[in-house]
Amino acid sequence: MPRHVREELVRRLRRTKRAFRKQDVQVVEKPLLKRAVSASALGNCMEWFDFGVYSYLAATIGKVFFPGASPGAQLISSFATFAAAFVVRPLGGLVFGPLGDRVGRQKVLATTMIMMAAGTFSIGLIPSYATIGIAAPILLLLARMVQGFSTGGEYGGATTFVAEYSPDRRRGFLSSWLDFGTFVGYALGSALVTVLNMALSDDQMLSWGWRLPFLIAGPLGVMGLYMRLKLEESPAFQQQLDEHEKTLAQDSVGSEFKTIVREHWRPLLICMGLVLLYNVTNYMVTGYLPTYQTETLDRSSNSADVLVLIGMVWIVILITFLGRLSDHIGRRPLYAGSAAAMIVLAIPAFLLIKAHGTWPPVFGVLILSTLLACFAAPSAATLPALFPTAVRYAAMGIGFNFAVAAFGGTTPLVTEALVNVTGDKLMPAYYLMLAGVIGLVTVKFLPESAQLPLNGSQPMVASTEEQKELIDTSQDLYQYAKEHPPTR
């Protein structure tokens, strides 16, 4: 048993003044766990399917909705519309987060799923600028804002839900399936656009081909909603439901927000630092890299699309293995080593991406993709563990969405603007190095949470055998706690 786990269990036993009993250790039912992980991952998959589609179609969308602008202005306008969704994400987090703590995770996740599907589907139905004029980009902006608002409650809720369902020893592995869904969704969306670009002419893509990927979101949303409506509430939420309802009856949403900021400001800052590290890398690779290659490096869209798609497939292969690794070596070493590697490898990676030939750009993308997988794999297990059950959803909604809005979703827009202003094609690498420095500083203050029970939750195990083992261990630890009282 790792030292930090033993110390936390001893602290809990000293508080309760007895060893664990059967009712103190929660056994997670495997069918419920599988259903929770798959339904949550599907929501992430759908969100990032749309993201992959939008990123790969950024230049096309610019031509459809901003035809009077120059190519550079079209691209920046398209990215600005993309970034607008991230502006309203914090608002979605402020609304859905407290609701998730009050009415339950499952109900809110079902709501965000249907809203996300509706927003994505509606983009495929919006007439072009040539048909309805200025109303076209306005409707595109509104649809993106619906997506952003719903997404504000999606990732924080999904990570909270899966983390609260997962056995302590396997939380990193099981939670990594959420981001597995993220990159599968992106890969599917980008692969679909790549196939359409190869199969259709430019005129066909501009006329109607770009709409097809967005229209697929409708059936996906119905399937995801069905799966989420069949879910049961997480064990951690059920454990504290009665007492929590009494407390919340006396609290308004505003007072809960103030309480979170006042009492949990330190974990909020840690959460935002880790989210910045993960999402700057994420949106650099997934959101900006396709456009960087076509507009800055003058490569064909097909070669650029395939190159980034290779990176996404590589992440899909790696991510659950890295999640399992974080359960064994800890979250902090994985974050710290990867952040340091980012600082060292960002410039070499972009030099390889800029190089001529086939293999140097592939190696460059694989370097960035490996680093991204190292940040993504432990995130869904690490971030919810920063907060207690009673405010976990709301706190995640605040910390995650404010950081994504400020630093993640704006990455393509800011980086493209910096490249245009400075003319320096290595500007994306410098941006990643800065994110690595911030991430490394953040990890210094990050408490290790691997294999630990969540804050405010009972220990969670995968079987009755593990339950018995933990109860037996707690008896030895309680005896140790009695013989070695804490020093003051």
Side-chain angles (χ1 to χ4, degrees):
M1 178 180 291
R3 180 179 175 182
H4 71 282
V5 178
R6 185 171 63 252
E7 290 175 349
E8 171 61 21
L9 293 180
V10 167
R11 280 194 293 269
R12 291 189 176 215
L13 295 170
R14 282 177 175 150
R15 286 199 302 268
T16 59
K17 298 181 179 180
R18 61 174 176 81
F20 290 143
R21 298 169 183 167
K22 201 170 183 179
Q23 65 267 26
D24 297 322
V25 181
Q26 177 82 37
V27 180
V28 184
E29 297 180 30
K30 289 184 180 179
L32 291 180
L33 176 60
K34 289 180 180 178
R35 203 182 309 158
V37 172
S38 58
S40 300
L42 180 62
N44 274 19
C45 181
M46 184 181 149
E47 174 191 348
W48 280 79
F49 175 85
D50 161 65
F51 176 72
V53 166
Y54 197 100
S55 297
Y56 272 49
L57 287 173
T60 302
I61 288 172
K63 294 174 184 176
V64 171
F65 290 96
F66 308 98
S70 66
Q74 285 178 349
L75 193 59
I76 289 177
S77 298
S78 182
F79 277 138
T81 307
F82 174 80
F86 293 87
V87 174
V88 298
R89 277 187 73 151
L91 181 59
L94 291 175
V95 171
F96 288 122
L99 274 177
D101 288 329
R102 281 171 160 74
V103 304
R105 285 68 161 120
Q106 182 264 349
K107 295 182 181 68
V108 173
L109 286 173
T111 303
T112 59
M113 170 63 76
I114 196 64
M115 286 184 65
M116 193 160 46
T120 304
F121 184 76
S122 64
I123 290 178
L125 301 177
I126 299 173
S128 67
Y129 187 95
T131 304
I132 60 172
I134 192 64
I138 292 174
L139 289 174
L140 175 65
L141 179 63
L142 289 175
R144 288 292 298 158
M145 292 178 77
V146 170
Q147 289 175 317
F149 186 78
S150 62
T151 304
E154 173 62 32
Y155 187 80
T159 55
T160 294
F161 194 73
V162 172
E164 291 179 347
Y165 252 109
S166 299
D168 300 332
R169 293 180 182 177
R170 303 179 66 213
R171 185 168 292 116
F173 169 67
L174 291 168
S175 296
S176 68
W177 285 97
L178 279 179
D179 288 280
F180 175 89
T182 292
F183 292 103
V184 167
Y186 183 94
L188 290 174
S190 55
L192 177 58
V193 174
T194 301
V195 169
L196 288 174
N197 278 329
M198 292 178 175
L200 301 177
S201 66
D202 290 343
D203 288 341
Q204 288 173 319
M205 282 297 293
L206 282 172
S207 176
W208 55 269
W210 68 271
R211 299 181 184 275
L212 296 179
F214 293 106
L215 296 177
I216 292 174
L220 280 177
V222 172
M223 182 172 64
L225 180 63
Y226 172 77
M227 292 180 65
R228 289 193 170 179
L229 289 175
K230 291 172 68 67
L231 293 174
E232 296 182 13
E233 269 303 342
S234 70
F237 184 78
Q238 291 176 347
Q239 286 167 18
Q240 49 87 66
L241 187 58
D242 293 337
E243 180 181 348
H244 187 44
E245 283 180 341
K246 294 175 185 176
T247 303
L248 289 177
Q250 303 170 359
D251 293 338
S252 65
V253 172
S255 65
E256 185 180 359
F257 174 77
K258 291 177 183 176
T259 298
I260 291 170
V261 174
R262 183 176 64 249
E263 298 182 6
H264 303 284
W265 62 269
R266 187 185 179 99
L268 271 178
L269 289 177
I270 294 171
C271 175
M272 293 177 73
L274 294 179
V275 171
L276 182 152
L277 175 66
Y278 171 19
N279 279 274
V280 166
T281 312
N282 192 6
Y283 290 99
M284 185 70 74
V285 174
T286 60
Y288 182 64
L289 205 52
T291 302
Y292 174 76
Q293 293 183 78
T294 56
E295 303 302 317
T296 305
L297 303 182
D298 295 322
R299 290 186 179 143
S300 70
S301 60
N302 287 342
S303 64
D305 292 349
V306 169
L307 192 58
V308 177
L309 185 56
I310 290 171
M312 294 302 101
V313 173
W314 179 239
I315 293 173
V316 169
I317 293 170
L318 284 181
I319 194 164
T320 56
F321 293 101
L322 291 169
R324 191 189 299 273
L325 179 65
S326 78
D327 283 329
H328 293 286
I329 69 170
R331 324 288 190 224
R332 296 182 79 244
L334 187 56
Y335 273 121
S338 305
M342 173 76 82
I343 297 169
V344 174
L345 296 176
I347 290 177
F350 269 90
L351 288 174
L352 287 169
I353 290 170
K354 286 176 56 188
H356 297 293
T358 301
W359 292 109
V362 170
F363 287 132
V365 168
L366 289 179
I367 289 172
L368 295 181
S369 299
T370 301
L371 293 171
L372 175 52
C374 290
F375 300 142
S379 288
T382 305
L383 301 179
L386 292 169
F387 307 103
T389 303
V391 298
R392 184 170 292 127
Y393 201 149
M396 279 288 295
I398 295 168
F400 185 87
N401 289 300
F402 273 93
V404 172
F407 307 108
T410 57
T411 293
L413 176 64
V414 172
T415 310
E416 175 68 14
L418 287 173
V419 170
N420 283 338
V421 169
T422 64
D424 190 344
K425 296 180 181 180
L426 286 178
M427 192 58 66
Y430 307 146
Y431 204 76
L432 288 178
M433 292 172 69
L434 178 61
V437 171
I438 294 171
L440 206 55
V441 172
T442 302
V443 173
K444 179 177 174 60
F445 301 96
L446 173 68
E448 184 57 73
S449 60
Q451 300 190 34
L452 283 179
L454 290 174
N455 188 357
S457 301
Q458 291 179 332
M460 305 276 286
V461 296
S463 65
T464 53
E465 290 78 12
E466 280 189 34
Q467 183 188 48
K468 184 178 184 305
E469 178 188 342
L470 183 55
I471 291 172
D472 291 343
T473 301
S474 75
Q475 293 170 353
D476 296 334
L477 291 176
Y478 181 59
Q479 185 63 35
Y480 172 87
K482 289 196 298 183
E483 294 173 358
H484 298 82
T487 56
R488 296 185 180 276

